[in-house]
Amino acid sequence: MIIECGYWDIESEVQKRFGHRYFVAKHRCNPTKVELVFLKADGLEGKKELVEFIKKEKLIT
């Protein structure tokens, strides 16, 4: 499922690759612009706006 956050479309399912877990966010106006928000043991790491939105929407269980 895709969730809208401002100009970003965030995939609500966590992606897994090479031992890393992350959310993928694509810019709505420029689809080649992609941001990753990584799940770390001590929290989330990535673009501040996206990290706050993911915490607010409680996409992590």
Side-chain angles (χ1 to χ4, degrees), residues 2-23:
I2 296 178
I3 299 172
E4 298 175 358
C5 169
Y7 287 111
W8 296 95
D9 291 332
I10 302 173
E11 292 182 23
S12 63
E13 294 183 24
V14 175
Q15 303 293 318
K16 297 176 187 174
R17 183 175 275 180
F18 302 120
H20 299 285
R21 297 178 357 166
Y22 53 89
F23 288 99

Side-chain angles (χ1 to χ4, degrees), residues 13-39:
E13 294 183 24
V14 175
Q15 303 293 318
K16 297 176 187 174
R17 183 175 275 180
F18 302 120
H20 299 285
R21 297 178 357 166
Y22 53 89
F23 288 99
V24 177
K26 296 180 182 178
H27 198 274
R28 198 173 300 150
C29 299
N30 185 1
T32 60
K33 188 174 183 181
V34 176
E35 289 283 336
L36 300 177
V37 177
F38 288 94
L39 289 127

